[in-house]
Amino acid sequence: MSAMTTEAHPIDEAHASHLDEQDPLAQYREQFHFPMKAGRPVVYLTGNSLGLQPKAVQELVNQELEDWASLAVNAHFEGRDPWKDYHEQFRGPLSRLVGGLESEVVAMNSLTVNLHLLMATFYTPTDTRYKIVIEDNAFPSDSYAVGSQAEFHGREISDTVIRLKPRKGEYTLRTDDVCDLIRNEGDSIALVMLGGVNYLTGQLMDMQTITQAGRDAGCIVGWDLAHAMGNVPLKLHDWGADFAAWCSYKYLNSGPGAVAGAFVHERHHRTDRPRFAGWWGNDPKTRFRMGPDFFPEQSADAWQLSNPPILGMTPIKASLAIFDEIGIDRLREKSLRITGYMESLIHQRCGDRVRILTPEDPAQRGSQLSLVVEGNVSGVRDLLEERGVVADFREPNVIRAAPVPTYVSYHDVWRFVDVLAELVEKASA
Ligand SMILES: *Cc1c(COP(=O)(O)O)cnc(C)c1O
């Protein structure tokens, strides 16, 4: 499909070290804490599940603890980073990551909460247009969220939720099939809400084309960016997406249960659609008059409910500073290269005993390969652990490995594939 094909890399360990020497992002590894195993940092390939802690986090959290101790309520105005406007500092960096305007993004709540808040506005079914399209292998929380929205509106899930399945014998979706379905059933579809990058297969969807198809058919198009934010470049504003939400603890490295985010396209900022309101969504000019009437801000902030959890938000500050310094395009460059390197080593060292579910086309994936190991893999967890490799294993035989470009080295990838080759050897013995 793509003009880009995987380079065949030499498989020796020295070549891995050579690639690290040439890696312009190699020094960023030093800015993160790595768990240790037998005196050396683990090979950490689960940054798609929980990103590593930036070393700068601790001092920033301490600063807020100190301001709380020494200033208490006055820290809202007099803190070193006043809490009153605390969330506003994330607009710049988040807008650069989603490819949107500063007014289109807000850091708030957690991901599933944001999906519900956005669906309260953007899923308003009628008798004829009421269906919701998701992927068949959507993350369970997304399935529950759309299902419960359907029921909340008095509808049967089975009649409302359309689950997109790959073709027989294939693992991932084809853009044409998604667009055909939207075109054919468009009149009855209220909402298309897919993952930008699928959590299980690592497939990066053609968000621009699908958004266009959805909007042409009169549907609302929302994206779950849990595995896309900080992983691949996005252009939500230009693509015309209606809304999006993401979590910040995966590629965004902002800590367990970190404060999530949302995008609402500019054209909806003066919306007449329903919205669940809270005081932090009120225009700051009148927010503290404490009146009974809601005057929404003309931005994504209008969907905020509460004053933000400062301690929970602080790690985002440390993390987004690193993204801003590197820039998502340079990250993507390394991501393509290191993911291709991993793929090349797997092909050469494991042959067809490891099947890769993730698309081969680099334009259709981020920094994750989902691998199926053939044969008896009962010992996989123990072996990975013993060798100091942290990768995600799902029963019965899927390993998900994310060579996150911010902090994973080429030598880490080499170590991982070395263990994988050993595993394959054992599984087929
Ligand atoms: C990780 C993930 C979630 C998790 O939801 P939380 O509300 O953050 O617990 C939801 N959806 C997708 C697609 C995910 O990848």
Side-chain angles (χ1 to χ4, degrees):
M1 275 196 71
S2 157
M4 271 186 91
T5 48
T6 309
E7 280 173 73
H9 283 275
I11 62 171
D12 58 299
E13 189 172 4
H15 182 67
S17 304
H18 172 69
L19 290 173
D20 280 325
E21 280 157 25
Q22 297 192 328
D23 174 9
L25 305 187
Q27 79 269 23
Y28 287 97
R29 183 179 170 83
E30 297 307 317
Q31 298 196 20
F32 293 86
H33 288 293
F34 280 77
M36 303 293 282
K37 171 87 184 178
R40 73 204 282 219
V42 298
V43 173
Y44 196 77
L45 299 175
T46 48
N48 56 341
S49 184
L50 182 72
L52 292 179
Q53 181 185 137
K55 288 179 179 167
V57 165
Q58 194 157 2
E59 202 179 309
L60 289 173
V61 172
N62 278 340
Q63 172 182 315
E64 300 311 333
L65 287 171
E66 284 164 17
D67 282 4
W68 179 20
S70 61
L71 298 168
V73 72
N74 287 332
H76 280 295
F77 297 91
E78 295 163 19
R80 280 167 276 185
D81 196 350
W83 299 339
K84 177 176 65 68
D85 310 314
Y86 200 86
H87 74 280
E88 298 196 1
Q89 65 187 300
F90 304 121
R91 279 197 195 131
L94 288 176
S95 69
R96 288 185 275 283
L97 286 177
V98 300
L101 308 175
E102 294 199 1
S103 62
E104 291 176 320
V105 292
V106 57
M108 62 179 190
N109 310 315
S110 51
L111 170 55
T112 311
V113 171
N114 287 342
L115 291 177
H116 276 298
L117 289 175
L118 291 163
M119 280 191 279
T121 295
F122 292 108
Y123 179 58
T124 49
T126 65
D127 285 347
T128 52
R129 191 186 277 279
Y130 58 91
K131 291 183 181 162
I132 306 175
V133 178
I134 62 171
E135 319 102 289
D136 190 42
N137 59 3
F139 194 89
S141 205
D142 298 50
S143 289
Y144 308 157
V146 298
S148 57
Q149 284 283 335
E151 291 181 330
F152 178 72
H153 288 279
R155 306 210 153 262
E156 298 279 339
I157 295 176
S158 59
D159 172 48
T160 305
V161 180
I162 303 177
R163 309 184 68 95
L164 292 169
K165 291 188 179 63
R167 291 187 186 185
K168 216 171 163 47
E170 299 184 3
Y171 309 111
T172 51
L173 295 167
R174 298 191 191 195
T175 307
D176 286 348
D177 291 353
V178 178
C179 293
D180 283 347
L181 177 122
I182 292 172
R183 242 171 257 127
N184 295 336
E185 305 201 28
D187 289 348
S188 64
I189 298 171
L191 170 64
V192 177
M193 198 181 88
L194 306 176
V197 173
N198 183 268
Y199 86 101
L200 192 62
T201 63
Q203 179 179 21
L204 165 59
M205 303 302 292
D206 182 341
M207 288 182 254
Q208 178 172 16
T209 303
I210 293 170
T211 302
Q212 191 60 51
R215 295 196 58 217
D216 287 347
C219 317
I220 289 279
V221 181
W223 290 98
D224 184 326
L225 302 177
H227 284 260
M229 267 301 260
N231 180 11
V232 292
L234 300 163
K235 297 225 170 338
L236 290 194
H237 179 86
D238 290 349
W239 294 341
D242 292 288
F243 72 88
W246 57 90
C247 53
S248 308
Y249 47 82
K250 294 173 179 167
Y251 291 92
L252 290 190
N253 308 321
S254 300
V259 172
F263 164 93
V264 178
H265 198 280
E266 189 183 31
R267 66 177 172 273
H268 296 299
H269 291 179
R270 290 165 195 276
T271 188
D272 293 327
R273 289 170 171 273
R275 172 161 49 207
F276 290 164
W279 73 318
W280 229 256
N282 197 90
D283 188 328
K285 289 195 277 301
T286 53
R287 182 182 293 153
F288 300 101
R289 289 188 197 155
M290 310 309 256
D293 297 321
F294 180 61
F295 300 103
E297 282 198 69
Q298 306 288 327
S299 73
D301 285 25
W303 278 263
Q304 278 187 115
L305 301 182
S306 304
N307 78 102
I310 302 300
L311 293 176
M313 269 186 165
T314 304
I316 309 181
K317 191 169 151 180
S319 171
L320 292 185
I322 298 173
F323 278 93
D324 258 349
E325 194 181 314
I326 302 177
I328 190 70
D329 291 331
R330 286 171 75 214
L331 269 180
R332 176 65 171 161
E333 224 170 86
K334 176 173 172 188
S335 167
L336 288 168
R337 186 151 253 266
I338 195 168
T339 309
Y341 175 62
M342 182 186 272
E343 181 182 45
S344 165
L345 288 190
I346 292 171
H347 282 322
Q348 295 181 71
R349 294 201 53 194
C350 307
D352 53 14
R353 286 187 249 156
V354 170
R355 228 174 338 127
I356 302 181
L357 304 184
T358 310
E360 217 178 321
D361 175 9
Q364 292 185 64
R365 67 189 185 198
S367 78
Q368 172 184 323
L369 293 181
S370 302
L371 313 169
V372 172
V373 185
E374 307 289 356
N376 175 9
V377 292
S378 52
V380 56
R381 257 185 240 279
D382 292 343
L383 188 70
L384 290 171
E385 153 103 39
E386 203 180 292
R387 297 285 194 277
V389 174
V390 184
D392 178 275
F393 177 66
R394 297 276 152 132
E395 299 287 351
N397 57 0
V398 178
I399 297 175
R400 294 185 304 157
V404 173
T406 338
Y407 48 70
V408 173
S409 70
Y410 290 88
H411 190 258
D412 287 342
V413 169
W414 185 88
R415 274 175 71 191
F416 166 65
V417 180
D418 199 43
V419 179
L420 193 65
E422 187 183 342
L423 192 82
V424 161
E425 202 61 44
K426 286 191 172 141
S428 54

